Amino acid sequence: MFTKEKIQSVYQGEIIGKEVIFLESTTSTNDTAIETGRQRENPEGVVVVADTQTHGKGRMGREWISPPGVNLYFTVLLKPPFLPQNASILTLVAAVAVVSAIRKHTKLPAEIKWPNDIMINGKKAGGILLEMKSGKDKINLIAVGVGLNVNMSLNEFTDEIRQLATSIKIETGSPVDRVGLLAKILEELESCYKIILQGDKRSLINEWIRLNCTIGRKVKVQNQDRIMTGVAENINENGELVLRLSSGGTETLSAGDVTILKAVS
Ligand code: BTN
């Protein structure tokens, strides 16, 4: 069973999950969460979970396929006391939390592909979409949306993404309890968020580096109309990728689609 009561019976957080909204179906949990946040005096910690989304949103205007009964689609609202330009660290927070939770709950070797793809055995199992509402120097609201393919089967993927995508069930060979996994992710998210609130950005970045599969690899990066190849050298304090270009010099990127070409020895 995937219900609000079941979620709240296995997870109670101090910050995250103070209010859980469960919907059988919604357009996009990010949109519902942002709308809900506008109606709350303090939206921090509200979690919107849906069994299915009719207009699930992926990065770069793409669609996030969201069939019912199988996966996790949820959004956590945060209102951190940072400047808007420092908000991208929350992408790293979410990626570290999701990957740590998958590793602990399933023992699968989940990894982060920059900036926020959740990979298992080289295929994409999930993604994170951060949306922010802010003024000039104040964050009003951040929606951290997570989509994770949990019990989806290969035949449920479109032909276009079947080669590139996977789910936890495909990788382990058996279905996983969605509520238990959601609880673990929220737990990890709360502990990573607390680390950031305490100002310990470095330990979060170190954890991201430990769990990532991008740094040290030869990669191709598509950033809007530009395609670059080079070695993913590092991520900086803002979560940006430092790319050593094959054509010489370095480029610091805040967004893009990464394809891993090979390991560099
Ligand atoms: C990506 O493109 O990798 C990011 C995918 C993010 C999908 C999740 S599902 C829950 C939340 N609601 C949305 O509409 N999108 C995010």
Side-chain angles (χ1 to χ4, degrees), residues 223-240:
N223 188 333
Q224 290 169 343
D225 293 342
R226 266 184 90 193
I227 295 181
M228 292 157 271
T229 56
V231 176
E233 214 167 54
N234 207 350
I235 55 158
N236 66 20
E237 292 286 305
N238 300 319
E240 294 165 324

Side-chain angles (χ1 to χ4, degrees), residues 28-30 53 56-59 64 74 124 127-129 145-147:
S28 149
T29 56
N30 270 26
Q53 302 181 115
K57 302 188 290 186
R59 286 172 56 234
W64 189 257
F74 65 94
K124 180 161 171 167
I128 294 156
L129 180 68
V146 178

Side-chain angles (χ1 to χ4, degrees), residues 161-202:
I161 61 170
R162 190 164 300 124
Q163 305 298 317
L164 307 169
T166 192
S167 74
I168 292 175
K169 186 178 91 172
I170 293 169
E171 298 302 322
T172 58
S174 45
V176 169
D177 169 37
R178 282 187 291 166
V179 174
L181 181 57
L182 174 63
K184 198 92 214 125
I185 295 172
L186 295 177
E187 209 175 289
E188 294 287 335
L189 200 54
E190 175 152 310
S191 80
C192 293
Y193 186 49
K194 282 182 177 166
I195 292 174
I196 282 299
L197 288 180
Q198 285 156 12
D200 194 1
K201 212 170 172 178
R202 193 65 248 168

Side-chain angles (χ1 to χ4, degrees), residues 6 19 35 41 46 59 66 83 93 102 105-106 114 127 131 175 193 199 214 236:
K6 177 88 191 287
E19 181 183 351
E35 199 42 50
E41 201 158 307
V46 173
R59 286 172 56 234
S66 311
L83 290 172
V93 166
I102 297 172
H105 196 76
T106 69
W114 185 89
E131 293 184 72
Y193 186 49
T214 315
N236 66 20

Side-chain angles (χ1 to χ4, degrees), residues 19-32:
E19 181 183 351
V20 175
I21 298 172
F22 176 80
L23 301 160
E24 290 291 339
S25 174
T26 190
T27 50
S28 149
T29 56
N30 270 26
D31 291 349
T32 310

Side-chain angles (χ1 to χ4, degrees), residues 19-128:
E19 181 183 351
V20 175
I21 298 172
F22 176 80
L23 301 160
E24 290 291 339
S25 174
T26 190
T27 50
S28 149
T29 56
N30 270 26
D31 291 349
T32 310
I34 290 168
E35 199 42 50
T36 308
R38 289 207 171 99
Q39 297 156 14
R40 301 288 186 278
E41 201 158 307
N42 178 12
E44 175 140 285
V46 173
V47 181
V48 177
V49 187
D51 186 48
T52 181
Q53 302 181 115
T54 54
H55 293 88
K57 302 188 290 186
R59 286 172 56 234
M60 306 191 175
R62 288 188 280 244
E63 181 195 1
W64 189 257
I65 298 167
S66 311
V70 281
N71 293 332
L72 284 174
Y73 321 107
F74 65 94
T75 300
V76 177
L77 289 180
L78 299 174
K79 196 176 186 315
F82 313 151
L83 290 172
Q85 58 266 36
N86 295 333
S88 55
I89 190 74
L90 292 172
T91 303
L92 307 198
V93 166
V96 167
V98 174
V99 163
S100 307
I102 297 172
R103 288 187 176 205
K104 288 179 190 166
H105 196 76
T106 69
K107 310 272 181 297
L108 284 170
E111 292 174 310
I112 307 163
K113 178 159 75 73
W114 185 89
N116 48 15
D117 286 346
I118 309 302
M119 309 295 289
I120 305 177
N121 295 327
K123 292 187 169 184
K124 180 161 171 167
I128 294 156

